């Protein structure tokens, strides 16, 4: 079954420290992976995506994500967290080649809290 | 994303009422989607439309209907609202069906059904 798991409901980190938000997936076809961020009272904003090629993907606001096929993971990272990074983060996967290729499958979301 | 707008932004209604949520986009995309967001559940797809004449049910379409009035407009209706339809609703758009296509989201409509 197609699924995305974000095992942490909340991640707490001090400003200036590195952050990681975890995501694992399960698909039957080729995975195309996305990260979105949701700030309070805002819609989801696209951060980055993995299609093919380099396993390290760079995105907006200094975020990057590492695709690991053997571990079926796509963790979001940032070397130095900012208080303004505090938001809700969603991982999503498109199961390309399956009957459900049209849709994005979203994880449950991880709330990131960056302490000053 | 200002290219995708939703009205109203907030709505309170009573059980049994029919309500409509509207979505407009200026991105020129053919594909449009309606999702609902519930705490701890992520986003779930209600309906999607690949063009004006192509409308499809998503995973949680019961109790909802949609209308694609034009390429730029996609409305979601709750025929008879019930309290468990209280949620945050998002409209999204995307370009033609490629694996790397990105979906762009509106700001959301917060709906409370009493």
């Amino acid at each position: 079954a197609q699924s995305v798991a974000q095992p942490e409901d909340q991640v707490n980190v001090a400003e200036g420290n590195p952050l990681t938000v975890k995501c694992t997936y399960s698909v039957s076809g080729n995975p195309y992976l996305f990260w979105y961020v949701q700030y309070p009272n805002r819609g989801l904003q696209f951060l980055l995506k993995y299609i093919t090629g380099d396993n390290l993907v760079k995105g907006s606001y200094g975020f990057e994500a590492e695709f690991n096929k053997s571990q079926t993971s796509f963790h979001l990272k940032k070397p130095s967290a900012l208080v303004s990074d505090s938001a809700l983060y969603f991982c999503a996967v498109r199961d390309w080649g399956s009957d459900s290729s049209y849709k994005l499958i979203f994880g449950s979301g991880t709330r990131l809290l960056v302490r000053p | 994303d200002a290219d995708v707008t939703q009205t109203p932004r907030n709505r309170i209604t009573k059980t049994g009422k029919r309500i409509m949520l509207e979505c407009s986009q200026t991105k020129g995309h053919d594909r449009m989607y309606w999702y609902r967001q519930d705490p701890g559940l992520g986003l779930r797809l209600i309906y999607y439309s690949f063009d004006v004449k192509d409308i499809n049910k998503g995973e949680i379409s019961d109790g909802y209907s949609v209308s694609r009035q034009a390429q730029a407009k996609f409305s979601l209706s709750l025929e008879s609202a019930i309290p468990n339809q209280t949620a945050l609703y998002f409209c999204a758009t995307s370009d033609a069906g490629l694996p790397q296509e990105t979906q762009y989201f509106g700001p959301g409509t917060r709906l409370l059904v009493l």
Side-chain angles (χ1 to χ4, degrees), chain B:
Chain B
D1 190 319
D3 297 325
V4 184
T5 58
Q6 292 182 233
T7 55
R9 293 293 310 277
N10 294 280
R11 179 74 184 267
I12 300 174
T13 191
K14 294 182 179 180
T15 297
K17 295 291 187 181
R18 183 181 189 275
I19 66 165
M20 179 182 291
L21 310 182
E22 299 186 347
C23 176
S24 294
Q25 53 113 346
T26 59
K27 299 187 77 68
H29 288 167
D30 287 326
R31 298 184 167 207
M32 298 187 74
Y33 309 80
W34 275 105
Y35 292 90
R36 66 177 279 175
Q37 182 185 5
D38 299 278
L41 294 179
L43 275 74
R44 293 181 291 167
L45 185 62
I46 306 172
Y47 270 94
Y48 62 101
S49 171
F50 287 170
D51 64 41
V52 174
K53 296 181 180 180
D54 183 14
I55 293 177
N56 304 278
K57 293 182 178 180
E59 55 185 308
I60 54 163
S61 60
D62 288 348
Y64 301 95
S65 63
V66 291
S67 173
R68 184 82 184 266
Q69 300 95 324
Q71 186 205 36
K73 296 184 181 296
F74 192 35
S75 300
L76 176 72
S77 293
L78 284 67
E79 299 302 326
S80 178
I82 56 177
N84 75 1
Q85 291 178 313
T86 293
L88 186 55
Y89 290 84
F90 287 108
C91 174
T93 75
S94 68
D95 210 338
L98 297 172
Q100 63 267 35
E101 70 179 39
T102 299
Q103 291 188 10
Y104 297 91
F105 287 79
T109 294
R110 191 171 297 278
L111 175 65
L112 174 61
V113 182
L114 300 175

Side-chain angles (χ1 to χ4, degrees), chain A residues 5-25:
Chain A
Q6 294 181 243
E8 301 155 315
D9 290 336
Q10 182 162 315
V11 170
N12 299 305
V13 65
E15 188 174 31
N17 284 359
L19 70 87
T20 299
V21 182
K22 296 179 180 178
C23 172
T24 59
Y25 65 90

Side-chain angles (χ1 to χ4, degrees), chain A residues 32 34 36 38 41-46 49 51 88 90 94 96 102-104 106-109, chain B residues 9 33 35 37 40-43 45 48 50 88 90 97-103 105-107:
Chain A
Y32 290 81
F34 301 77
Y36 285 84
Q38 183 181 18
N41 299 315
R42 301 282 297 277
L44 276 71
Q45 297 180 26
F46 168 72
K49 62 185 174 185
I51 306 170
L88 187 57
F90 289 97
R94 177 171 288 116
W96 193 251
Y102 61 91
K103 69 178 182 179
L104 282 180
F106 284 86
S108 56
Chain B
R9 293 293 310 277
Y33 309 80
Y35 292 90
Q37 182 185 5
L41 294 179
L43 275 74
L45 185 62
Y48 62 101
F50 287 170
L88 186 55
F90 287 108
L98 297 172
Q100 63 267 35
E101 70 179 39
T102 299
Q103 291 188 10
F105 287 79

Side-chain angles (χ1 to χ4, degrees), chain A residues 5-80:
Chain A
Q6 294 181 243
E8 301 155 315
D9 290 336
Q10 182 162 315
V11 170
N12 299 305
V13 65
E15 188 174 31
N17 284 359
L19 70 87
T20 299
V21 182
K22 296 179 180 178
C23 172
T24 59
Y25 65 90
S26 174
V27 298
S28 56
N30 296 315
Y32 290 81
L33 293 146
F34 301 77
W35 276 102
Y36 285 84
V37 60
Q38 183 181 18
Y39 297 104
N41 299 315
R42 301 282 297 277
L44 276 71
Q45 297 180 26
F46 168 72
L47 273 180
L48 51 79
K49 62 185 174 185
Y50 169 80
I51 306 170
T52 60
D54 194 347
N55 289 341
L56 186 64
V57 179
K58 294 189 182 298
S60 306
Y61 313 122
F63 283 93
E64 58 189 24
E66 186 172 10
F67 172 67
N68 188 316
K69 186 174 183 178
S70 63
Q71 296 185 5
T72 61
S73 67
F74 189 55
H75 300 333
L76 181 70
K77 300 181 179 183
K78 188 173 183 181
S80 179

